[in-house]
Amino acid sequence: DNPPLGDGVKSSNLLDKRHELSECQNFNKPFVRENFIIDALNTERMEKELSFIYQRQKEVTLLNEALSLLNWDQLTYMPKQGIHARAEQCAFLGTIVHQKFTDTKFFAAVKRCRTQKLSFDKKRMMDILYKNINKERKLPDAFVEELSRATALAHNAWEEAREKSNFMIFQPHLEKIVSLKQRQVAYIKM
């Protein structure tokens, strides 16, 4: 096993590439050799960064899918008495998703990748991620939790109001969601 270089980068790839270039006449010049090593380290670090970003995206996607399943169950099979527990579950998972997506380490990795030479698709993905994370980072965790809870509770109130043809049942929930959405816009504009 090859000893790690800085930041845990293994030297095996560097040695393999260096061996390939050892035949090159210019490789023995110090400037060329140093640039080669720096480029190889940067490439390995970038691959590590991209791997971390893909893993985090996978986690966020899986958690969002679990939230979708909870919402589907709420719309189809969940007993009406379970709405408060379901609202807490949605608020809890929504907050975890938000925290994972806006995590400082994740955001920093995306920022670093945006400055690197990437394929068009990867560059575009980094730009979109950066924009979305930057927007979400403006929302406090407590706000995300409150919005998730209010949305879950409002849906049941809307169903009941529709069944009874009584808008007054849904009105306070709608007013709360409108108020929360106005706060969301204010946070994002900050």
Side-chain angles (χ1 to χ4, degrees):
D1 205 28
N2 294 311
L5 298 173
D7 291 338
V9 175
K10 297 281 184 176
S11 62
S12 61
N13 290 348
L14 292 176
L15 293 175
D16 293 342
K17 289 177 184 176
R18 184 173 182 192
H19 178 70
E20 290 172 17
L21 292 175
S22 64
E23 303 296 320
C24 178
Q25 203 172 23
N26 288 332
F27 185 74
N28 291 325
K29 294 179 181 173
F31 179 75
V32 172
R33 188 172 47 244
E34 287 172 16
N35 282 343
F36 170 78
I37 291 171
I38 289 169
D39 287 346
L41 282 173
N42 287 339
T43 299
E44 288 195 34
R45 284 188 184 123
M46 189 53 46
E47 288 171 9
K48 195 174 176 183
E49 295 272 25
L50 287 171
S51 177
F52 169 70
I53 290 168
Y54 295 148
Q55 180 60 37
R56 180 57 56 93
Q57 284 184 289
K58 179 181 176 182
E59 292 169 7
V60 168
T61 298
L62 290 172
L63 286 168
N64 276 325
E65 288 172 356
L67 265 171
S68 294
L69 185 59
L70 288 174
N71 288 326
W72 172 81
D73 180 59
Q74 179 181 343
L75 298 175
T76 56
Y77 297 108
M78 187 187 81
K80 292 185 187 227
Q81 299 79 11
I83 185 57
H84 292 287
R86 181 54 45 88
E88 289 305 312
Q89 293 163 352
C90 289
F92 178 74
L93 277 178
T95 303
I96 290 174
V97 168
H98 179 72
Q99 289 170 343
K100 283 191 165 290
F101 191 65
T102 60
D103 174 63
T104 303
K105 184 177 175 186
F106 181 56
F107 186 57
V110 170
K111 274 175 74 172
R112 282 189 297 273
C113 284
R114 286 182 74 218
T115 65
Q116 301 301 313
K117 291 181 183 177
L118 299 171
S119 69
F120 175 81
D121 291 342
K122 287 179 183 175
K123 176 75 170 142
R124 183 72 181 125
M125 182 184 73
M126 290 305 136
D127 289 343
I128 292 169
L129 263 176
Y130 178 80
K131 179 183 172 188
N132 291 340
I133 295 169
N134 210 23
K135 181 177 163 184
E136 286 292 317
R137 286 172 59 96
K138 295 177 180 181
L139 303 176
D141 290 346
F143 172 80
V144 171
E145 181 180 354
E146 184 180 3
L147 180 61
S148 297
R149 184 179 297 110
T151 304
L153 292 171
H155 186 79
N156 266 30
W158 172 76
E159 284 183 340
E160 183 183 347
R162 191 180 65 181
E163 285 172 14
K164 295 179 179 178
S165 293
N166 183 355
F167 177 73
M168 300 306 285
I169 295 170
F170 180 59
Q171 184 177 1
H173 295 276
L174 179 60
E175 289 171 355
K176 181 166 186 159
I177 289 175
V178 168
S179 173
L180 287 169
K181 287 297 187 174
Q182 289 170 337
R183 281 179 47 202
Q184 183 176 19
V185 168
Y187 281 129
I188 291 171
K189 284 186 175 181
M190 291 169 61

